[in-house]
Amino acid sequence: MKSLYSNIPNMNEILSKLSMDDIDPKWQKKLADQYLQTLRESIASGDVKDVNADEVIQSIRNFIEATLAPGLKRIINGTGVIIHTNLGRSSISKRLLDEAADVLAHYSNLEYSLEKGARGSRYAPVVERLKLLTGAEDAIVVNNNAAAVMLTLNTFASGGSVIVSRGELVEIGGAFRIPEVMKLSGCQLIEVGTTNKTHPFDYTQAIDEETRMMMKVHTSNYRIQGFTASVETDVLSEIAKANALILYEDLGSGTFEAIEGFQEKTIQEAAAHCDLLSFSGDKLLGGPQCGIIVGKQKLIAQIKANQLLRALRVDKFTLSILDRLMTAYFKNEALRTEAIPTHRYLKLSKDTIEAKVDAFLNQYQEPLNNIQLHVAKASMDSEVGAGSMPLALLPSCGLIIQSDHSIEKCFQAMRRLDQPLIGRIEKDSIVLDFRMIEEDDFTGVFNALKAGCYHA
Ligand SMILES: *Cc1c(COP(=O)(O)O)cnc(C)c1O
């Protein structure tokens, strides 16, 4: 065992042979030390029975590279879920990013009024277009919609109560629960109605001197079907007015455009009936993670005066992309769709997706057969995701792949690649929905299948 330790090269030799000049020597040494520590432990425990100096140096090089590699990777989304929260929700088009990058790589008028030559508002750059798009009097942007909900409740209802229908006490993925957020915002939740039915009188009967606000929450990720009743915001708006209360709607995933074939209320429709409205930037809007609050100018001014905003305020990276996105929304449909990948994916017809699958098979059917993968084209359904339109299924096309090897292992191996491929597992097969797989992903898809399934 002693000789095993003596085979380990000394630090000077390691550092000179690593030839990783671009890495600070201080870190080369620290990480090499860390690697050697583990190696010595493995020798002591008998797990390592052979030590070769050159191999040790190569392993240290691999260890340093793996440790210092960026952790966020581009992945190929073969899941068929368009707005996949675990996969970063909406992707941003290169064009918008390039435009924003030019601003971000330099100084900007983030909080500087170019007109007055003095301190300006962080929100000013996007507010006018948000007002045009939503029809609201004013707008403000924060970190995400959860922050928007919290800030709104805290500003207007802290120390008081807020009325919400029992049918709308939602939990969104990642444990965002309306009742919990209420508590954190310092307000008391008054639940009214039942899970399946809430009527106008449920709201009116619950109003008392503690009531500050009536809140409507979009039931993003589920639908209550069958014998149901809920009160729409136009009716709630009358009740709120008659009782001098604020009506706030959390729309979750907001969209400016009616989406063909789906009954999703647009942001403009929602904004027309309530005093305040909030929605996410990275769901159907197709932009960066943020939460947008629009509504009455007087109320937005009060939100701006809340100290909590300082902790929830949006950063310049987000704002610069949102800024470009807002402009894209005024372009003609073709340009708009091109600028917003989420919308492009939403609108893809099954035929177009099938053509992508055919193009892929044309190129790779034979190579796939050569590595013993059985691949079949199949119809399937994509989902919108992120709690948007939970029941909507979008006709799509993709591949069903069977391998002689364990599918579970294939999946695991495909996740560990430099450019991982994520699909679904169904009945011992890999299912790849081609809706979000682009032509420039084809090589990546093949390489992932080969690396993942051939050696598995
Ligand atoms: C998604 C969602 C949220 C949370 O929005 P984030 O932008 O993810 O913070 C809040 N409310 C509803 C109804 C939602 O659908």
Side-chain angles (χ1 to χ4, degrees):
M1 203 202 274
K2 203 160 216 124
S3 70
L4 286 187
Y5 291 118
S6 62
N7 283 354
I8 297 177
N10 69 36
M11 191 51 81
N12 281 341
E13 186 185 349
I14 292 172
L15 292 180
S16 73
K17 287 195 176 161
L18 272 179
S19 52
M20 299 180 93
D21 291 345
D22 53 336
I23 309 288
D24 188 328
K26 171 182 80 191
W27 285 109
Q28 293 186 42
K29 183 168 181 308
K30 200 175 168 79
L31 290 167
D33 268 337
Q34 199 175 318
Y35 180 86
L36 293 179
Q37 173 79 20
T38 319
L39 178 62
R40 287 194 192 97
E41 282 165 17
S42 303
I43 295 172
S45 67
D47 289 346
V48 167
K49 297 188 173 58
D50 181 32
V51 173
N52 168 293
D54 287 341
E55 282 171 17
V56 169
I57 290 168
Q58 185 54 44
S59 300
I60 292 173
R61 190 178 295 118
N62 295 346
F63 174 68
I64 293 176
E65 276 170 0
T67 307
L68 303 186
L72 274 177
K73 296 174 176 182
R74 165 181 173 174
I75 67 130
I76 302 172
N77 178 4
T79 64
V81 180
I82 302 176
I83 310 170
H84 198 306
T85 297
N86 301 152
L87 305 184
R89 288 198 182 159
S90 286
S91 49
I92 309 292
S93 68
K94 278 258 164 60
R95 172 103 151 262
L96 289 195
L97 278 179
D98 284 347
E99 291 174 12
D102 192 46
V103 171
L104 288 169
H106 300 89
Y107 292 101
S108 65
N109 57 328
L110 179 69
E111 277 191 5
Y112 182 80
S113 162
L114 292 170
E115 220 160 277
K116 295 185 195 139
R119 186 167 196 271
S121 153
R122 170 176 295 252
Y123 312 102
V126 293
V127 162
E128 286 311 313
R129 280 160 296 158
L130 271 172
K131 281 159 63 176
L132 278 171
L133 287 166
T134 61
E137 287 176 15
D138 205 355
I140 188 170
V141 185
V142 289
N143 266 333
N144 52 24
N145 190 33
V149 173
M150 186 161 182
L151 183 62
T152 304
L153 291 173
N154 180 266
T155 305
F156 300 102
S158 179
S161 67
V162 179
I163 303 176
V164 187
S165 158
R166 284 204 173 83
E168 298 171 4
L169 293 175
V170 308
E171 170 175 323
I172 318 287
F176 171 90
R177 290 176 158 195
I178 288 293
E180 300 300 321
V181 177
M182 287 266 178
K183 226 185 274 166
L184 281 172
S185 312
C187 6
Q188 200 195 343
L189 165 69
I190 305 293
E191 306 172 18
V192 298
T194 61
T195 304
N196 60 328
K197 281 204 170 198
T198 304
H199 304 279
F201 63 78
D202 289 317
Y203 288 90
T204 43
Q205 282 172 2
I207 295 170
D208 61 21
E209 61 276 17
E210 301 300 321
T211 314
R212 303 277 184 279
M213 185 179 249
M214 303 203 311
M215 182 179 182
K216 185 157 181 76
V217 185
H218 192 64
T219 56
S220 310
N221 46 7
Y222 65 96
R223 288 284 179 276
I224 297 174
Q225 291 185 321
F227 187 61
T228 65
S230 62
V231 188
E232 282 313 312
T233 35
D234 51 344
V235 178
L236 285 182
S237 156
E238 296 302 318
I239 300 173
K241 269 196 201 106
N243 293 277
L245 294 172
I246 296 167
L247 176 62
Y248 164 46
E249 179 161 13
D250 169 13
L251 196 58
S253 184
T255 169
F256 290 127
E257 293 170 51
I259 296 165
E260 219 182 289
F262 304 110
Q263 290 177 312
E264 197 75 356
K265 173 161 75 172
T266 64
I267 294 166
Q268 304 88 293
E269 283 162 356
H273 294 298
C274 49
D275 303 303
L276 287 167
L277 176 77
S278 72
F279 48 92
S280 289
D282 55 354
K283 291 183 180 172
L284 281 174
L285 212 67
Q289 177 195 304
C290 62
I292 299 172
I293 311 173
V294 301
K296 299 258 156 63
Q297 195 166 28
K298 198 181 78 193
L299 300 177
I300 299 285
Q302 279 179 262
I303 291 177
K304 283 183 183 163
N306 187 337
Q307 278 297 313
L308 190 56
L309 174 61
R310 186 64 177 73
L312 305 175
R313 77 177 185 190
V314 68
D315 77 307
K316 65 178 177 182
F317 285 76
T318 303
L319 212 46
S320 57
I321 296 164
L322 182 69
D323 192 13
R324 267 66 201 169
L325 180 75
M326 288 299 105
T327 296
Y329 264 109
F330 291 89
K331 299 272 171 73
N332 67 43
E333 186 175 355
L335 288 173
R336 201 163 68 228
T337 307
E338 187 197 307
I340 308 171
T342 295
H343 291 196
R344 188 157 46 80
Y345 297 138
L346 261 173
K347 290 174 184 173
L348 282 182
S349 71
K350 186 180 172 185
D351 287 347
T352 311
I353 302 167
E354 185 167 359
K356 282 200 278 185
V357 178
D358 289 336
F360 177 81
L361 286 177
N362 252 337
Q363 209 173 337
Y364 288 108
Q365 178 85 65
E366 237 186 79
L368 284 168
N369 290 345
N370 292 342
I371 55 171
Q372 279 95 50
L373 285 182
H374 318 292
V375 178
K377 185 168 86 174
S379 295
M380 52 190 68
D381 290 315
S382 314
E383 289 172 46
V384 181
S388 313
M389 305 187 278
L391 306 184
L393 293 176
L394 307 161
S396 185
C397 184
L399 294 177
I400 294 182
I401 299 142
Q402 280 166 335
S403 160
D404 299 334
H405 305 287
S406 144
I407 291 293
E408 202 52 67
K409 281 210 176 114
C410 292
F411 245 67
Q412 201 177 42
M414 294 199 303
R415 286 199 303 269
R416 291 187 178 153
L417 299 172
D418 281 341
Q419 199 188 100
L421 169 64
I422 315 284
R424 303 197 295 256
I425 298 183
E426 274 172 27
K427 298 190 211 108
D428 274 338
S429 304
I430 296 176
V431 177
L432 291 182
D433 185 323
F434 266 57
R435 182 178 293 273
M436 272 77 67
I437 294 178
E438 312 267 16
E439 293 231 19
D440 71 355
D441 291 323
F442 284 3
T443 319
V445 171
F446 174 73
N447 288 341
L449 289 173
K450 184 173 172 185
C453 306
Y454 192 36
H455 299 289

